[in-house]
Amino acid sequence: MLQPLLASAAAQTPGERQFQRCINCHQIGPSTRHGFGPSLTGVIGRQAGSASGYSYSSAMKNSKIVWDEKTLSAFLKNPDGVVPGTRMRLWGYNDDQQIRDLIAYLKSYPAPASR
């Protein structure tokens, strides 16, 4: 009975495994919607607090951050230190490789091309 679960976990990339910490609040991929947190599809290159249809905290909307590897890495380590007053509750990633893996995964889901 555990075999399919183990095979599924083994097939995941390191970034997908890191994203498991995020899925309670965030979705990523085609046709995703906002949940407790905003969809992370196309987050790389997006201005913080700007995904349409999601109600961000004032702190996030006013942060003037554009998400790239550097800003996301800092935020994932210490959300409140980067955006004081953010509603995101994450104890932070301490391992730089885990952060790189997660960011690589996020980068694999760019914003859909505009028509």
Side-chain angles (χ1 to χ4, degrees), residues 64-78:
K64 298 188 172 133
I65 290 172
V66 174
W67 296 121
D68 60 18
E69 291 182 39
K70 183 178 178 182
T71 55
L72 265 174
S73 180
F75 185 73
L76 290 168
K77 285 181 181 180
N78 183 4

Side-chain angles (χ1 to χ4, degrees), residues 37-112:
S39 168
L40 296 180
T41 305
V43 71
I44 303 295
R46 183 166 75 200
Q47 181 159 347
S50 70
S52 108
Y54 185 77
S55 179
Y56 289 93
S57 66
S58 295
M60 190 62 74
K61 286 191 285 190
N62 296 323
S63 70
K64 298 188 172 133
I65 290 172
V66 174
W67 296 121
D68 60 18
E69 291 182 39
K70 183 178 178 182
T71 55
L72 265 174
S73 180
F75 185 73
L76 290 168
K77 285 181 181 180
N78 183 4
D80 286 313
V82 174
V83 182
T86 183
R87 290 191 310 235
M88 182 157 144
R89 295 296 123 222
L90 171 71
W91 297 110
Y93 281 83
N94 296 319
D95 184 283
D96 289 334
Q97 185 59 52
Q98 290 176 342
I99 291 170
R100 284 191 296 273
D101 292 341
L102 177 57
I103 291 172
Y105 181 69
L106 296 175
K107 287 171 74 173
S108 73
Y109 288 96

Side-chain angles (χ1 to χ4, degrees), residues 111-115:
S114 57
R115 296 178 183 198

